[in-house]
């Protein structure tokens, strides 16, 4: 190996070690941006859906995203541009591709922590958790955690690290305005119980519980969750459809699987058709929304509820 090659390799290694060291220092974003012309010049790889969703909400197009097709089906918004690279499985990011793309920063959720040392050989790593369910904080502390507030703070911190603090502040302020406007729009529903579900099959459904991100959306909008007990760390439970008859006055709001629900309703499946909400046409169908994406997910559900609930035939007067 020539002296020039050795020197070049040493410089690359030193640069990588320096960047990794800066990533763990409190002031590393300021130092990193001092060396770059603008924040937009950074090549930021997202290693999970929530990270990508929050980056896109800030106007940042991530370099990579795992399982893009499924993101487009299950998260949907913000939309993923066509120039984003497919990174493989969420649990197994394509390391070879990441090395080849040479990102400046990797953004990932804590579930990928076992891979962090390996990832740090590629680029500095920023951990981002949009939702406050790490270690099931609500149950551990026995105190309610406002997951929208947690998501807003996490987004602001991530944006500050990447040099997008002003964009995050503007986004959070606009979200607050949208929550207020949606609350006014949905004032006729104040106190009216709603089951928020995602139908699985003819017998079972997910129901979103009192410890979900969506509960905090309900709290912001003055809505009442008909399901009053907590669920898993993600805030949902799998229940049989007959359990949704417990509150006979409730409106049934289904997220995602619209064709499945429409088909089940058309076929008049006995258990589903026996529910008071179905019999009295108090059913509202919403597109898919990620239930653990922090502020962008909460804002998407807010927008959908504000636009769909007032149009639901019989939902108010059934």
């Amino acid at each position: 190996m020539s002296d020039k090659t050795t020197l070049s390799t040493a410089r690359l290694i030193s640069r990588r070690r320096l960047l990794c060291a800066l990533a763990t220092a409190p002031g590393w974003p300021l130092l990193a941006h001092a060396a770059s012309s603008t924040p937009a010049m950074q090549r930021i790889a997202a290693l999970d859906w929530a990270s990508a969703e929050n980056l896109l909400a800030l106007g940042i197009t991530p370099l990579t995203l795992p399982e893009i097709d499924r993101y487009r089906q299950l998260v949907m918004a913000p939309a993923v541009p066509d120039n984003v690279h497919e990174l493989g499985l969420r649990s197994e990011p394509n390391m070879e591709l990441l090395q080849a793309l040479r990102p400046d920063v990797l953004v990932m959720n804590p579930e990928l922590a076992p891979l962090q040392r390996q990832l740090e050989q590629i680029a500095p790593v920023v951990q981002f958790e949009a939702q406050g369910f790490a270690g099931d904080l609500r149950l551990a502390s026995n105190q309610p955690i406002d997951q929208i507030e947690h998501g807003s703070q996490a987004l602001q911190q991530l944006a500050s690290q990447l040099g997008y603090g002003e964009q995050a502040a503007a986004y959070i302020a606009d979200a607050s305005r949208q929550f207020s406007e949606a609350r006014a729009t949905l004032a006729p529903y104040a106190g009216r119980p709603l089951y928020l579900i995602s139908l699985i099959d003819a017998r079972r459904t997910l129901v979103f519980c009192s410890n979900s991100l969506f509960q905090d959306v309900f709290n912001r909008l003055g809505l009442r969750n008909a399901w009053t007990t907590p669920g898993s760390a993600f805030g949902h439970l799998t229940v049989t459809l007959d359990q949704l008859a417990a509150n006979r006055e409730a409106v049934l709001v289904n997220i995602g699987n619209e064709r499945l629900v429409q088909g089940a309703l058309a076929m008049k499946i006995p258990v589903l058709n026996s529910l008071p909400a179905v019999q009295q046409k108090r059913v509202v169908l919403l597109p898919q929304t990620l239930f653990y994406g922090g502020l962008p997910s909460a804002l998407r559900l807010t927008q959908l509820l504000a636009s769909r609930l007032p149009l639901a035939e019989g939902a108010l007067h059934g």
Side-chain angles (χ1 to χ4, degrees):
M1 184 180 291
S2 67
D3 290 343
K4 285 186 177 181
T5 302
T6 303
L7 180 59
S8 176
T9 302
R11 285 174 175 168
L12 285 172
I13 294 173
S14 297
R15 179 177 179 274
R16 180 67 67 198
R17 286 175 177 168
L18 174 62
L19 287 172
C20 287
L22 289 175
T24 60
W28 86 266
L30 300 177
L31 293 171
H33 293 144
S36 63
S37 55
T38 65
M41 296 299 291
Q42 293 184 97
R43 292 158 55 81
I44 303 170
L47 275 60
D48 63 275
W49 288 351
S51 294
E53 183 185 12
N54 280 263
L55 290 172
L56 287 163
L58 293 175
I60 303 170
T61 298
L63 183 65
T64 65
L65 173 62
E67 301 181 49
I68 292 176
D69 287 343
R70 284 179 57 77
Y71 177 100
R72 288 174 173 150
Q73 294 170 5
L74 301 178
V75 185
M76 299 184 70
V80 179
D82 291 336
N83 61 342
V84 176
H85 293 271
E86 167 63 54
L87 193 58
L89 299 176
R90 283 171 288 168
S91 58
E92 298 179 23
N94 187 328
M95 298 292 188
E96 292 77 13
L97 177 61
L98 281 174
Q99 286 181 322
L101 291 174
R102 300 179 60 128
D104 297 312
V105 183
L106 306 176
V107 182
M108 68 173 203
N109 66 35
E111 291 183 2
L112 290 174
L115 300 176
Q116 182 158 338
R117 283 194 176 185
Q118 188 176 355
L119 291 166
E120 285 172 344
Q121 302 305 308
I122 298 172
V125 172
V126 175
Q127 282 199 22
F128 172 71
E129 184 175 38
Q131 194 156 328
F133 52 61
D136 204 359
L137 294 175
R138 285 182 187 242
L139 299 181
S141 64
N142 203 28
Q143 295 291 329
I145 292 173
D146 187 327
Q147 296 193 45
I148 295 177
E149 181 62 27
H150 175 94
S152 299
Q153 292 177 1
L155 178 61
Q156 185 70 69
Q157 182 179 7
L158 173 67
S160 297
Q161 287 178 291
L162 300 176
Y164 287 80
E166 291 184 5
Q167 290 88 334
Y171 182 82
I172 292 168
D174 185 64
S176 179
R177 176 189 61 79
Q178 291 192 53
F179 287 133
S180 296
E181 291 179 356
R183 185 184 182 98
T185 298
L186 297 172
Y189 277 85
R192 184 70 181 269
L194 287 80
Y195 283 118
L196 192 60
I197 69 167
S198 185
L199 190 68
I200 298 172
D201 54 36
R203 294 177 50 255
R204 301 172 302 150
T205 184
L206 285 182
V207 62
F208 292 95
C209 306
S210 61
N211 63 324
S212 66
L213 170 66
F214 293 161
Q215 176 66 59
D216 292 317
V217 173
F218 275 23
N219 294 344
R220 290 289 194 287
L221 303 184
L223 302 177
R224 176 182 161 201
N225 192 344
W227 194 276
T228 58
T229 60
S232 68
F234 286 93
H236 59 58
L237 291 173
T238 299
V239 302
T240 54
L241 285 172
D242 61 284
Q243 293 177 260
L244 302 181
N247 192 319
R248 302 187 63 82
E249 302 301 318
V251 177
L252 203 59
V253 181
N254 185 87
I255 298 175
N257 299 326
E258 290 177 86
R259 290 185 180 178
L260 174 65
V261 180
Q262 289 168 345
L265 292 171
M267 293 173 63
K268 297 189 181 300
I269 292 173
V271 179
L272 182 63
N273 207 56
S274 69
L275 297 177
V278 175
Q279 292 178 347
Q280 298 171 25
K281 297 183 179 180
R282 297 195 306 264
V283 178
V284 182
L285 305 185
L286 304 182
Q288 287 281 7
T289 302
L290 189 65
F291 53 83
Y292 59 87
L295 183 58
S297 290
L299 194 57
R300 173 169 165 78
L301 179 61
T302 296
Q303 294 163 347
L304 291 172
L305 288 169
S307 63
R308 299 287 184 96
L309 270 178
L311 299 177
E313 180 183 357
L316 278 172
H317 307 293

